[in-house]
Amino acid sequence: MRLDLTGRAFVVCGASRGLGRATAEELVGHGARVLLVARRPEEAAAALGDAAIALPADLTAPDAARDVAQAVRESFGARLDGVLVNGAGPPSGRALEYSDAQWAGAFELLLGAPIRLLRELTPMLAGGGSVVFVTSSSVRQPIDGLDTSNVLRPAVAALAKVLARELGPAIRVNSLAPGRFDTDRVRELDSERAERGEGDVEAVRRRAAAGIPLARYGDPREYARVAAFLLSDAASYVTGTALLVDGGAVTAIP
Ligand SMILES: NC(=O)c1ccc[n+]([C@@H]2O[C@H](COP(=O)([O-])OP(=O)(O)OC[C@H]3O[C@@H](n4cnc5c(N)ncnc54)[C@H](OP(=O)(O)O)[C@@H]3O)[C@@H](O)[C@H]2O)c1
């Protein structure tokens, strides 16, 4: 199967590092043009050449969604084919120990900002397009000590399901749940575990990998290939799905 994305235009959020950057690289590799949104996307965009445009923006800022829409109009003439909804992960912690402000901040990050973004961008996808939400394996199985994610990521998967019903048939909407990929975010979480006394970082990592049937952390490019598939016409009959890319880590059935 070849994904020919020549002439297609995408917005990739959280595109300066990790899963977002790998997805932007994958899309450009298939011929697409990509608007890379992050607080500091310049270096990632420059590495991708003319097909990539950097938009420095803090997606949690009130005007960010309008700025992204304006950049799409200026860069692509309002023709948009897909959006990867992605950004920082929420802080680790336990449900009853977060402050109200931390809960509100996690809601803003995972639901408020994406909803504002899609209000602005979905009209530009009305000719046919695809939205992919980056979630987490916590949509299927809680992760110890990551309770805002455990509670709110399933809500993001529900949002994707609801939007698939409300925006179809023109727009497909899916969520794509990573397990453990080798990115800054996962390295930070592993360091926090080590600091909490769970052994050194290598021991934390070895134990985590041992719980994964494929016995290793994923390479962000392995996530990006699935994201690019969902964003492309190759996935033309796939919508409302919450797909795991986790090396088999989640044990729930199905
Ligand atoms: N990696 C995994 O295995 C894994 C597993 C489960 C869930 N996830 C979730 O998947 C998402 C991506 O993960 P990742 O590992 O790629 O994370 P990452 O390495 O921390 O990268 C996050 C990206 O989001 C951008 N970003 C952060 N805050 C932003 C803001 N306020 N406005 C705009 N952009 C912002 C960052 O760029 P700037 O700093 O330049 O803004 C960066 O490009 C996260 O939500 C994470 O929690 C990841």
Side-chain angles (χ1 to χ4, degrees):
M1 182 180 60
R2 276 192 72 242
L3 305 184
D4 184 4
L5 300 176
T6 308
R8 300 300 178 97
F10 296 90
V11 169
V12 175
C13 300
S16 64
R17 290 180 276 124
L19 304 180
R21 180 171 182 161
T23 302
E25 287 169 356
E26 185 72 21
L27 293 170
V28 168
H30 291 287
R33 290 177 300 154
V34 177
L35 183 73
L36 285 84
V37 185
R39 290 165 303 179
R40 290 175 293 277
E42 296 86 349
E43 188 264 322
L48 286 174
D50 291 344
I53 301 146
L55 177 68
D58 179 340
L59 284 162
T60 59
D63 290 339
R66 260 172 286 161
D67 293 345
V68 176
Q70 181 60 25
V72 170
R73 280 188 285 273
E74 286 166 9
S75 309
F76 304 141
R79 188 223 148 104
L80 189 61
D81 295 285
V83 183
L84 187 81
V85 182
N86 176 45
S92 52
R94 306 234 171 247
L96 304 185
E97 292 167 8
Y98 291 110
S99 66
D100 290 355
Q102 284 175 313
W103 271 110
F107 175 89
E108 265 305 300
L109 187 65
L110 297 179
L111 286 155
I115 287 169
R116 284 196 294 278
L117 182 74
L118 292 178
R119 260 193 215 120
E120 295 289 333
L121 295 187
T122 49
M124 300 180 194
L125 294 165
S130 171
V131 174
V132 173
F133 285 88
V134 178
T135 58
S136 164
S137 59
S138 64
V139 300
R140 300 295 311 285
Q141 188 167 287
I143 300 167
D144 187 44
L146 262 183
D147 283 352
T148 45
S149 175
N150 293 333
V151 172
L152 294 172
R153 297 279 196 189
V156 179
L159 175 65
K161 185 67 125 180
V162 164
L163 291 179
R165 296 175 71 86
E166 294 178 0
L167 300 177
I171 305 175
R172 294 181 298 102
V173 186
N174 293 287
S175 59
L176 189 54
R180 288 180 92 79
F181 284 84
D182 197 7
T183 66
D184 291 352
R185 161 82 175 166
V186 166
R187 282 189 281 273
E188 279 160 26
L189 292 173
D190 285 350
S191 300
E192 285 180 20
R193 289 204 166 91
E195 281 161 22
R196 285 202 301 266
E198 295 182 26
D200 62 27
V201 175
E202 267 318 302
V204 169
R205 200 179 153 101
R206 259 198 317 277
R207 238 185 351 267
I212 301 171
L214 294 185
R216 59 179 175 83
Y217 286 10
D219 181 318
R221 288 172 297 188
E222 294 175 293
Y223 183 90
R225 287 201 289 272
V226 186
F229 163 71
L230 287 175
L231 287 167
S232 78
D233 291 345
S236 54
Y237 202 59
V238 185
T239 194
T241 292
L243 185 61
L244 281 167
V245 190
D246 69 341
V250 168
T251 53
I253 301 170

